[in-house]
Amino acid sequence: MNVNGSAVIKKNDTVIVTIEDMSENGEGIGKSEGYTLFVKDTVIGDRAEVKIIKAKKTYGYGRIQRLLEPSPWRTEPLCPAAAPCGGCQLQAMSYDQQLKFKEKKVRDHLERLGGFQSPPVLPVIGMKDPWHYRNKAQYPVTTDRKGEIVMGFYAGRTHSVIQTPHCYIGQPVNDRVLAAVKAYMETCGVAPYDEASHKGLVRHVLIRRAAATGQVMVCLIINGKRLPAAEQLTERLLEIEGMTSISYNINREKTNVILGEQVVNLYGPGYITDQIGDVSFRISAQSFFQVNPVQTKVLYEKALEYAGLQGEETVWDLYCGAGTISLFLARKARQVYGVEIVPQAVDNARENARINGIENVEFYTGKAEELMPELYRNRRLRADVVVVDPPRKGCAQSLLDTVIAMAPERMVYVSCNSATLARDLRYLCDRGFRLEEAQPVDMFPMTVGVEVVALLSKGEIDSKKVSYIC
């Protein structure tokens, strides 16, 4: 023992650990004589022999050497690359236990980070069939040690690409697309991108498939101004059923951001069309669109339920993407306003409203955290309901202060990161809102991700606490 009573554990030691919990990244968590260990490829209930690969003062990281007693919730992953690939962290855990893990994750965040006592978190809504659900994939392209072209996914916490012959959460058509792109690259001498040297051409292959229509989109992200022999790529891809849109996207920056700003169309209209319920959506390569169409309908119906619309409300939908939630809300509201930073997504949103014959919706292009405070100051906006669906970093304080000043009767917060959700809900509830309910929805089976839609109602707004607007 050390002076703090924890075990003295060093790198390369071997210990026996029973996994009692899991981290947000899907690592098993266990203790050896009071010393906390994070162990990849284990699940709650496993008892394992673990080798220490990194030891810090109060915690460390281990690699499983031998599984002594498997957890009752352990299952054999379908994908042979599940362990090294960074995409599916939970394939070794039974699906019902995955849902319990995700509910606990949301609840823990609201309690620990948000300071909510006994938060009103409902059980996670899961899927009947949690496989092949993703309608979008972005495959990095590189070469292996033999110089062969490799397309797959990054290994966990690295940029080493794991060759993935078939992804069990992606669309089956992806296999044919990747084979066609690889054959084109080999035949035409098109080199993959190399991150270290910033040389080579093809960085990623983006594939989308619309669940309702079967339409397929392919977009190659390239480190150059043009794609050589593009007609040969197009010819190969058109042999695939459902191929509707073929393009390339120019990204010549030294960055981890996948998409650049310019898209060059090679074939088709530049978009595919999908449906959620009875609403149609046109989706471009740069549009945000939820990756799980089955659960998106569940999520949006819950958001609509929480909005409590009666037909006379003014609604603001912030971070609206291609207008998916906006158009759902517009069917029940008097007027909906959407705000989105990506111009192409706003173009899609306006077109989506047109093709669905929805006229009581208006879209603004800009950063919500900048545009909303400006509109409020200059026009004194009002809102009966505010809906936010921010990126993982959550909402900026300036945006939250604007919402507080607008004092809507209800706020619906859709989140893909329950940690920043907890932070933002705490800020709102300290300034007059009340958390009524939080519904997790499993949009991302086999991964640690979980979407949450939360309902807040307006209490007494304390304007003295609004630090930005007032």
Side-chain angles (χ1 to χ4, degrees), residues 237-313:
L237 290 176
L238 286 177
E239 294 177 2
I240 298 172
E241 183 180 358
M243 190 60 58
T244 303
S245 174
I246 303 171
S247 63
Y248 63 88
N249 173 274
I250 297 172
N251 182 359
R252 304 179 70 189
E253 302 296 321
K254 290 184 178 181
T255 176
N256 289 334
V257 176
I258 293 177
L259 288 168
E261 294 184 1
Q262 184 181 356
V263 175
V264 178
N265 202 40
L266 297 175
Y267 173 83
Y271 59 81
I272 56 176
T273 302
D274 207 345
Q275 288 180 280
I276 302 174
D278 60 352
V279 183
S280 297
F281 298 94
R282 289 183 178 177
I283 309 155
S284 67
Q286 293 168 305
S287 294
F288 170 78
F289 194 75
Q290 293 282 4
V291 300
N292 186 331
V294 173
Q295 294 295 83
T296 296
K297 185 173 184 290
V298 173
L299 183 77
Y300 287 0
E301 286 176 346
K302 179 58 67 171
L304 183 61
E305 174 192 326
Y306 281 173
L309 302 176
Q310 301 298 315
E312 296 300 321
E313 294 85 359

Side-chain angles (χ1 to χ4, degrees), residues 434-450:
R434 181 171 59 251
L435 175 60
E436 301 289 352
E437 196 168 273
Q439 174 65 73
V441 178
D442 191 21
M443 299 285 288
F444 319 105
M446 308 302 143
T447 80
V448 294
V450 60

Side-chain angles (χ1 to χ4, degrees), residues 21-56:
D21 200 353
M22 294 189 74
S23 74
E24 295 174 16
N25 297 320
E27 299 161 317
I29 303 174
K31 290 190 176 182
S32 176
E33 299 184 54
Y35 185 82
T36 300
L37 285 169
F38 295 86
V39 187
K40 189 176 181 294
D41 301 326
T42 58
V43 301
I44 297 171
D46 281 344
R47 184 171 177 268
E49 182 181 273
V50 174
K51 182 177 181 179
I52 308 303
I53 58 175
K54 183 184 291 186
K56 294 183 176 290

Side-chain angles (χ1 to χ4, degrees), residues 155-196:
R157 299 181 178 179
T158 76
H159 268 215
S160 298
V161 178
I162 300 296
Q163 181 74 51
T164 315
H166 177 74
C167 176
Y168 285 85
I169 64 172
Q171 296 294 309
V173 72
N174 294 355
D175 301 346
R176 290 196 61 193
V177 170
L178 295 181
V181 173
K182 183 177 181 180
Y184 150 75
M185 292 176 66
E186 290 174 340
T187 301
C188 299
V190 178
Y193 178 68
D194 178 71
E195 281 189 345

Side-chain angles (χ1 to χ4, degrees), residues 45-256:
D46 281 344
R47 184 171 177 268
E49 182 181 273
V50 174
K51 182 177 181 179
I52 308 303
I53 58 175
K54 183 184 291 186
K56 294 183 176 290
K57 186 175 181 180
T58 58
Y59 68 95
Y61 296 89
R63 179 183 294 118
I64 185 170
Q65 297 291 98
R66 188 160 54 105
L67 185 62
L68 303 177
E69 294 179 21
S71 165
W73 302 296
R74 174 174 280 277
T75 186
E76 186 67 26
L78 282 183
C79 179
C85 178
C88 293
Q89 305 89 1
L90 302 181
Q91 266 201 47
M93 180 187 285
S94 66
Y95 187 54
D96 60 341
Q97 193 64 23
Q98 290 182 34
L99 299 180
K100 292 177 182 177
F101 163 73
K102 294 182 181 187
E103 179 185 337
K104 182 179 183 295
K105 174 180 176 179
V106 174
R107 190 178 298 278
D108 286 351
H109 278 156
L110 290 177
E111 291 176 348
R112 182 168 52 87
L113 303 179
F116 293 94
Q117 296 184 356
S118 301
V121 179
L122 300 178
V124 180
I125 300 175
M127 297 188 71
K128 291 181 179 179
D129 180 8
W131 303 100
H132 294 302
Y133 61 85
R134 287 190 63 98
N135 57 20
K136 176 186 175 183
Q138 298 174 134
Y139 291 88
V141 184
T142 186
T143 54
D144 62 15
R145 293 178 181 177
K146 298 178 181 178
E148 298 279 336
I149 296 173
V150 175
M151 301 175 182
F153 295 106
Y154 292 126
R157 299 181 178 179
T158 76
H159 268 215
S160 298
V161 178
I162 300 296
Q163 181 74 51
T164 315
H166 177 74
C167 176
Y168 285 85
I169 64 172
Q171 296 294 309
V173 72
N174 294 355
D175 301 346
R176 290 196 61 193
V177 170
L178 295 181
V181 173
K182 183 177 181 180
Y184 150 75
M185 292 176 66
E186 290 174 340
T187 301
C188 299
V190 178
Y193 178 68
D194 178 71
E195 281 189 345
S197 65
H198 192 54
K199 294 181 180 178
L201 189 66
V202 180
R203 302 173 69 132
H204 284 80
V205 180
L206 183 154
I207 310 169
R208 291 185 188 263
R209 181 183 182 276
T213 63
Q215 295 180 355
V216 178
M217 166 188 290
V218 176
C219 179
L220 269 60
I221 294 84
I222 66 169
N223 176 44
K225 294 182 179 180
R226 69 178 190 87
L227 189 68
E231 67 282 355
Q232 293 193 36
L233 172 67
T234 301
E235 184 178 336
R236 290 178 184 272
L237 290 176
L238 286 177
E239 294 177 2
I240 298 172
E241 183 180 358
M243 190 60 58
T244 303
S245 174
I246 303 171
S247 63
Y248 63 88
N249 173 274
I250 297 172
N251 182 359
R252 304 179 70 189
E253 302 296 321
K254 290 184 178 181
T255 176
N256 289 334

Side-chain angles (χ1 to χ4, degrees), residues 367-380:
K367 292 183 178 180
E369 60 270 27
E370 296 176 0
L371 186 60
M372 290 303 293
E374 179 183 346
L375 288 173
Y376 182 78
R377 283 193 298 265
N378 295 337
R379 292 172 47 180
R380 284 291 157 180

